[in-house]
Amino acid sequence: MATKFAPQRSAEPGPATAPSPLPITHEAPRRRRRPVVVGAGLALAAVGALLAAWQVSEAGDKTPVIALAHDVRAGQVVKKSDLAVAQVAADPALAPVPVSRSGDIVGKTAAADLSKGSLVTDSSVREGSLVTQGRDTVGILAKPGQLPAQRLRSGAKVALVHTPQDDADTAKSSTQKAPDSINAIVVGVSSADANGAVVVDVAVAGTDSSPLASWAARGAVTVVMKADS
């Protein structure tokens, strides 16, 4: 008698197990700081602190000195209203006059053209006028070619050479006893006009002022700067 075996049933899979939830945290993941970045930030902070300290120190070390409130021409007497106060840091390359010595500047004569905003030094002024007793001041309108390209300064010694412009002046100059050149001292120089011409004020001996004025009226004067000026 044959034996019958009952078919075996495969085990049915059970219900799938759900994955357990991940724990919830309120803290963000921390990033590791690089030592190089941290060091650079500290170095920048240190430099900024040093710069701020230096600026504060510089601001506190400034000294009140004398400056020009506006332009002053060479030969003009410096008045109190011409001066202003400027705050500058101590610098061995500069020699400004402190405000406490303003009395030494007022009443003196400008030794050169002084520009607005420039600092006043002891060499900016001089005692008395460039025009001494017995000298006259004559203005000469000099065009380019009648004076050196180098700017003339007050106090410079010059020779004023008679340069006739036509035959009539040449014939007249040959009969005159006036010298062909006159020694003079520059008192002041104006700003150039649109054509480049300037007015040069010169101090000359009283006996030379008349012939020089005649030369200047004809435009027959050339200004020569002397080597010792």
Side-chain angles (χ1 to χ4, degrees):
M1 182 177 65
T3 305
K4 294 181 179 181
F5 294 95
Q8 294 182 356
R9 296 181 180 179
S10 60
E12 296 180 359
T17 305
S20 59
L22 295 175
I24 299 175
T25 176
H26 296 287
E27 296 183 359
R30 297 182 179 179
R31 296 181 180 178
R32 296 181 60 185
R33 296 182 178 179
R34 297 180 181 178
V36 176
V37 176
V38 174
L42 293 175
L44 290 175
V47 171
L50 290 175
L51 181 59
W54 176 80
Q55 290 176 339
V56 172
S57 176
E58 285 294 309
D61 292 341
K62 289 186 177 180
T63 304
V65 297
I66 302 175
L68 271 300
H70 48 75
D71 295 342
V72 177
R73 292 286 186 186
Q76 291 183 345
V77 176
V78 180
K79 303 183 293 295
K80 187 175 181 180
S81 58
D82 297 329
L83 306 180
V85 179
Q87 300 287 339
V88 298
D91 189 336
L94 302 176
V97 178
V99 173
S100 58
R101 288 186 51 213
S102 58
D104 297 339
I105 304 299
V106 176
K108 290 186 177 180
T109 303
D113 291 340
L114 305 179
S115 302
K116 177 182 178 181
S118 61
L119 300 181
V120 176
T121 64
D122 287 321
S123 60
S124 300
V125 295
R126 58 180 295 163
E127 293 283 357
S129 173
L130 293 173
V131 183
T132 59
Q133 186 175 4
R135 285 182 174 268
D136 298 335
T137 301
V138 180
I140 301 172
L141 178 62
K143 300 177 181 179
Q146 291 181 279
L147 72 168
Q150 180 181 353
R151 179 173 174 80
L152 296 174
R153 297 188 178 277
S154 62
K157 296 178 181 180
V158 296
L160 307 175
V161 181
H162 184 208
T163 51
Q165 301 298 311
D166 52 38
D167 294 339
D169 281 342
T170 303
K172 188 175 181 180
S173 63
S174 62
T175 60
Q176 289 180 339
K177 295 181 180 180
D180 292 332
S181 65
I182 296 174
N183 293 327
I185 297 177
V186 177
V187 177
V189 182
S190 71
S191 300
D193 61 15
N195 297 319
V198 299
V199 175
V200 182
D201 288 342
V202 294
V204 297
T207 55
D208 293 332
S209 59
S210 293
L212 177 59
S214 177
W215 298 353
R218 294 183 176 87
V221 182
T222 298
V223 180
V224 178
M225 184 180 294
K226 289 192 172 182
D228 58 348
S229 59

